[in-house]
Amino acid sequence: MSHVAVLFGGISTEREVSLSTGRQVIAALREARHEVTPVEVTGDLAALIATLQRAKPDAVFNALHGRFGEDGCVQGVLDWLGIPYTHSGVRASSVAMDKSAAKAVFAAHGLPLAEHRVVTPEELAAEDPLDRPYVVKPVNEGSSVGVEILKDGDNRRAEIARGWRFGRQIMAEEYIAGRELTVAVMGDRPLAVTEIGTGHVFYDYDAKYADGGSRHTIPAAIPDAVAQAAMDAALRAHQALGCRGVSRSDFRYDDATGRLALLEVNTQPGMTPTSLVPEQAAYRGISFPELCTWLVQEARHGP
């Protein structure tokens, strides 16, 4: 048994998701007989530091999502305090959260990617950055926050550009028709390939977190060679970024052409009742309390 402080909540657009993850993790760690100190994170950084210094946990379970929680910021604070923590360190977290930087790493390692470029809101307002259909998304957000798909005949481009509220950079990415796949990596082991089916236009925020928002098929009903390629790519992406603990890689697979493309790597995947990583772990015979305990056992600080 160890003393674990669980950080959850936070100040990002994904606060509600983090609250759900935190509740699940707290219950699982207590079931596994750990001493748990829940720490709901707000905008008061001094209060967070004081709470951790007072609690003196053996490790922190980072259940934060989005900016300041999975982009290296809180990881830097924990490094400074000398407290081991779950999931990736500062460098991997910050690079993975920056979609442009992450794609540069993936390209350097020969991983399969969709065509993409970074533009400003003004450039998007002026013209299409890529041939349609294409996707626009924030460079530094998660959980599909701010994602839009622009297809032929869609006249919302200037409106989206004018209303953009996610910073000065927009990631424009080729839209790949087909199926949504995801692979969790636990340490140095890809767990499985899940196909995500949804009645939504894409796997958006509601599809991810609302009850009944998506259907998960595990293992995905795809050719064995494609499944192996996805698991290999997920492990290579995890290693290329320098991730530790658990990560989750998202892909598009066009079964009409056989094309597989890596979209992004999530270094703080959700642990909610509808989340994919606990589901893949369970498929491999790993219970949720066992998964959370393993993450705590792997906790450390540093890059």
Side-chain angles (χ1 to χ4, degrees), residues 146-264:
V147 174
E148 300 282 356
I149 301 174
L150 287 163
K151 299 183 177 181
D152 289 335
D154 190 330
N155 61 4
R156 297 177 301 130
R157 174 172 49 78
E159 176 188 343
I160 290 169
R162 284 194 303 270
W164 194 256
R165 56 185 179 86
F166 303 104
R168 293 292 304 155
Q169 292 187 316
I170 301 172
M171 171 66 69
E173 183 178 73
E174 169 194 9
Y175 175 77
I176 299 174
R179 300 156 74 175
E180 195 95 25
L181 306 177
T182 195
V183 178
V185 174
M186 183 176 173
D188 58 359
R189 176 191 182 192
L191 295 179
V193 183
T194 298
E195 179 175 359
I196 303 159
T198 175
H200 298 231
V201 176
F202 64 100
Y203 189 44
D204 61 10
Y205 187 95
D206 286 340
K208 284 178 174 163
Y209 301 115
D211 287 340
S214 62
R215 302 176 307 280
H216 302 166
T217 303
I218 179 171
I222 55 176
D224 290 345
V226 176
Q228 190 60 54
M231 289 194 289
D232 290 347
L235 179 58
R236 289 170 58 201
H238 179 99
Q239 293 171 337
L241 291 171
C243 296
R244 61 183 192 236
V246 167
S247 73
R248 198 195 74 232
S249 293
D250 296 332
F251 298 86
R252 292 288 288 186
Y253 168 57
D254 185 350
D255 46 9
T257 63
R259 183 182 179 190
L260 179 74
L262 171 65
L263 300 179
E264 60 186 74

Side-chain angles (χ1 to χ4, degrees), residues 57-70:
D58 299 314
V60 160
F61 193 109
N62 182 8
L64 297 170
H65 299 306
R67 294 183 66 200
F68 306 107
E70 63 180 296

